[in-house]
Amino acid sequence: MAVVLAGQLYCDLLPQDSRASRDEPLRNAWLQVVDGKIQAIGVGTPPAADTVVDFSDAIVAPAFIDMHVHGGGGHAFDEIAAAVDRAAVASRIAAAHQQGGTQKLIVSLVTANLEALCDRARASAELCASDDRFVGIHLEGPFLAPERRGAHDPQLLCHPTPEVISQLLEACGGYLKQITIAPELPGAMAAIKQLVAAGVRVAVGHSECDYRTAAAAFGAGATILTHAFNAMPGLQHRAPGPVAAAFDTPEVTLEVIADGEHVDPRMVRLLFENAPGRVALISDAMAAAGMPDGEYVLGALPVQVQHGLPRLLNADGSPGSIAGSTLRLLSAVNNVTAWGVPLGAALAAVTSVPAAALGIEHEAGRLRPGMSAQLTVLAPGAAAVPAAGAGTGGAGGSTLSLKALWNGVE
């Protein structure tokens, strides 16, 4: 059955008869869908169809992709291996993020001992094989610098060796999409090459590395910077660090947590300015996403969430390091547009950019003929208000709310 959607399309491949900018929605447009796939895109009068869905008051974008998320809805992906009903736990996590516009997620696992991590990886691989909402696995650890461990248990960190990497690859069963490594660790450069040869995207992060070491890691095949600015040295006038190395490497995607807490809004905008088309908005969400404040667990470490911000609990009960977030991607899009990032760039950062970073750009992340018709439909609302610390740049338009998640069938 043919279905036509009429509305404002966020589309990076513009019809020849359109004068639209890639940073703006394509207005008076239509999208033809047949059997869950995009058949054609155009402007003006749409073709005849069995069903016409009118989204003229909304913006139609590809399905949002969160390439770094640990949990939500009161659960974490680390729980799945031990869960009685794995599918129910996974669905609660997915549902929490669907409320924020996300339809595809990476299963991000925190550091654990090798046996537990392999068990969790095997369970996660089974989940990815059975449910297309989960597009692969991200191991954020155990190959991290102790000084930049963040919310990872320092006793469980280790150096990368060929044997350990082989065990992790086998446990992930072909679903390991991404792994974070501190490139200054002994054996890290060889590990990067081993992982890249196995088809895994390597991310530099949780690291004390300098510019030269990060650049060497990118030269060895790493293509992602894990949550830019967080758990790494910052930009300094005599020590430019890994962020600058990522700026200078066109193949690198820079993740960022745009909740206004992890990174100052001006520095978020700096990423978009210096790495256009290469910034991916991520949630780095833990179990508390979509849940009230309270006490939770990240890995095996206790976390307290106050005013939506998770922090590790120190031994004396005082709040410690930030431990992930409760962010969801639509909020991240609204935040960065309020901080002056163009709408097209913000939407690309949750669609085409993460799709390319994960190697799934031929099946998701874009509105193009032959691609999946999984869509996020957004309703413009009140004018976006720049957050404190946004600096100059002005608001980027209206605040968007979720109107519908559309899976190609009316």
Side-chain angles (χ1 to χ4, degrees), residues 181-255:
I181 290 181
E184 71 273 22
L185 295 178
M189 292 299 172
I192 291 170
K193 293 176 182 178
Q194 179 184 359
L195 287 157
V196 171
V200 178
R201 272 67 181 174
V202 177
V204 170
H206 286 275
S207 170
E208 277 286 320
C209 72
D210 58 12
Y211 175 96
R212 185 171 297 179
T213 304
F218 297 138
T223 54
I224 298 169
L225 187 68
T226 294
H227 43 53
F229 291 116
N230 296 124
M232 66 184 64
L235 288 168
Q236 299 292 332
H237 62 297
R238 293 193 183 95
V243 175
F247 286 162
D248 290 346
T249 312
E251 298 79 20
V252 173
T253 299
L254 296 84
E255 297 179 348

Side-chain angles (χ1 to χ4, degrees), residues 249-294:
T249 312
E251 298 79 20
V252 173
T253 299
L254 296 84
E255 297 179 348
V256 66
I257 308 166
D259 61 355
E261 298 283 354
H262 280 77
V263 183
D264 186 88
R266 182 62 188 93
M267 300 306 281
V268 172
R269 203 167 75 240
L270 185 74
L271 296 177
F272 281 90
E273 292 166 353
N274 284 272
R278 297 194 284 125
V279 177
L281 295 173
I282 61 166
S283 68
D284 195 18
M286 43 81 73
M291 299 293 289
D293 286 356

Side-chain angles (χ1 to χ4, degrees), residues 98-162:
Q98 286 170 344
Q99 294 168 11
T102 302
Q103 296 188 66
K104 292 188 176 294
L105 303 91
I106 279 283
V107 177
S108 294
L109 303 176
V110 300
T111 298
N113 69 60
L114 186 59
E115 182 180 359
L117 191 56
C118 286
D119 285 345
R120 293 170 186 179
R122 280 187 283 268
S124 299
E126 292 175 7
L127 175 64
C128 294
S130 62
D131 191 330
D132 66 3
R133 291 176 295 183
F134 306 101
V135 298
I137 299 167
H138 168 211
L139 298 179
E140 192 181 13
F143 310 132
L144 312 179
E147 303 86 354
R148 297 284 184 171
R149 64 184 180 273
H152 295 255
D153 189 335
Q155 299 181 43
L156 302 177
L157 301 177
C158 64
H159 296 164
T161 66

Side-chain angles (χ1 to χ4, degrees), residues 26-392:
L26 181 63
R27 302 179 189 281
N28 190 29
W30 52 264
L31 184 150
Q32 185 183 47
V33 176
V34 178
D35 297 329
K37 298 285 186 181
I38 297 172
Q39 187 80 10
I41 295 172
V43 293
T45 304
D50 300 298
T51 304
V52 176
V53 183
D54 185 6
F55 284 135
S56 56
D57 61 341
I59 295 171
V60 178
F64 288 4
I65 303 165
D66 195 339
M67 63 182 283
H68 188 154
V69 52
H70 294 277
H75 296 278
F77 288 121
D78 304 286
E79 302 172 25
I80 287 177
V84 175
D85 190 342
R86 295 176 180 178
V89 170
S91 289
R92 290 189 191 106
I93 295 172
H97 287 278
Q98 286 170 344
Q99 294 168 11
T102 302
Q103 296 188 66
K104 292 188 176 294
L105 303 91
I106 279 283
V107 177
S108 294
L109 303 176
V110 300
T111 298
N113 69 60
L114 186 59
E115 182 180 359
L117 191 56
C118 286
D119 285 345
R120 293 170 186 179
R122 280 187 283 268
S124 299
E126 292 175 7
L127 175 64
C128 294
S130 62
D131 191 330
D132 66 3
R133 291 176 295 183
F134 306 101
V135 298
I137 299 167
H138 168 211
L139 298 179
E140 192 181 13
F143 310 132
L144 312 179
E147 303 86 354
R148 297 284 184 171
R149 64 184 180 273
H152 295 255
D153 189 335
Q155 299 181 43
L156 302 177
L157 301 177
C158 64
H159 296 164
T161 66
E163 295 76 21
V164 171
I165 290 170
S166 293
Q167 284 182 260
L168 292 172
L169 287 169
E170 182 179 3
C172 289
Y175 285 98
L176 183 57
K177 288 286 187 183
Q178 178 181 349
I179 186 167
T180 298
I181 290 181
E184 71 273 22
L185 295 178
M189 292 299 172
I192 291 170
K193 293 176 182 178
Q194 179 184 359
L195 287 157
V196 171
V200 178
R201 272 67 181 174
V202 177
V204 170
H206 286 275
S207 170
E208 277 286 320
C209 72
D210 58 12
Y211 175 96
R212 185 171 297 179
T213 304
F218 297 138
T223 54
I224 298 169
L225 187 68
T226 294
H227 43 53
F229 291 116
N230 296 124
M232 66 184 64
L235 288 168
Q236 299 292 332
H237 62 297
R238 293 193 183 95
V243 175
F247 286 162
D248 290 346
T249 312
E251 298 79 20
V252 173
T253 299
L254 296 84
E255 297 179 348
V256 66
I257 308 166
D259 61 355
E261 298 283 354
H262 280 77
V263 183
D264 186 88
R266 182 62 188 93
M267 300 306 281
V268 172
R269 203 167 75 240
L270 185 74
L271 296 177
F272 281 90
E273 292 166 353
N274 284 272
R278 297 194 284 125
V279 177
L281 295 173
I282 61 166
S283 68
D284 195 18
M286 43 81 73
M291 299 293 289
D293 286 356
E295 293 189 359
Y296 297 85
V297 174
L298 182 58
L301 302 178
V303 174
Q304 186 173 62
V305 180
Q306 291 185 332
H307 307 296
L309 183 65
R311 289 188 179 274
L312 290 180
L313 278 176
N314 294 321
D316 63 0
S318 62
S321 300
I322 295 178
S325 85
T326 59
L327 184 68
R328 287 172 286 183
L329 289 188
L330 182 54
S331 294
V333 168
N334 281 327
N335 286 343
V336 300
T337 56
W339 301 338
V341 174
L343 175 61
L347 290 174
V350 295
T351 56
S352 58
V353 173
L358 296 171
I360 59 172
E361 67 272 23
H362 299 299
E363 57 191 86
R366 297 176 185 270
L367 299 184
R368 292 190 175 184
M371 304 282 285
S372 167
Q374 275 197 318
L375 308 171
T376 303
V377 185
L378 305 166
V385 179
T392 59

